[in-house]
Amino acid sequence: MHARLSVRFAGLQLFPFSMVPDTVRAADGDETGHPGAYTRVWTATEATAAAAGPYLYSAALALGGYAAARVGEEVTQSGGAHTGILLGFTLLPALLMAAALAVHSRYRLDAELTRPRGA
């Protein structure tokens, strides 16, 4: 099971990165491009999204009524807290991935980019 999840996660990570060279070339129209500027924007966007994840998950926990415990304390979670945990681990990532796929679905390789170099 873990191997399949790892392969899927790798695919999710590599798919967007595989588009970077084509996107830079398409935007610039030649091989000299400015991939550094594009990848810096990419990195900033990715870092922002990674930082937003814990905040979104904590919002799901807060909406569910999750009760934090201190060391040595035992807290019984409500049904709403269990629902918040479940939705935070299932529905929230699914919605975020759907949003990412919606953005990526606009990406198209045109004939200019798929034609072999020098042809």
Side-chain angles (χ1 to χ4, degrees):
M1 169 103 165
H2 295 295
R4 284 183 278 168
L5 289 175
S6 298
V7 169
R8 290 176 184 149
F9 182 73
L12 288 172
Q13 292 294 305
L14 290 176
F15 176 62
F17 284 117
S18 69
M19 297 185 303
V20 171
D22 295 332
T23 306
V24 170
R25 195 167 117 197
D28 238 17
D30 62 16
E31 295 294 323
T32 62
H34 300 288
Y38 184 83
T39 55
R40 283 191 293 271
V41 170
W42 179 280
T43 302
T45 304
E46 186 179 32
T48 301
Y55 290 105
L56 294 172
Y57 185 65
S58 64
L61 293 179
L63 290 172
Y66 181 83
R70 294 178 186 209
V71 176
E73 279 185 335
E74 191 171 313
V75 175
T76 303
Q77 300 296 336
S78 67
H82 286 263
T83 301
I85 293 168
L86 178 66
L87 294 178
F89 266 103
T90 57
L91 184 62
L92 181 61
L95 290 173
L96 294 173
M97 283 308 305
L101 286 173
V103 171
H104 288 199
S105 70
R106 297 180 55 208
Y107 176 79
R108 297 283 185 260
L109 279 177
D110 58 20
E112 177 75 24
L113 293 175
T114 57
R115 185 177 58 217
R117 291 184 183 140

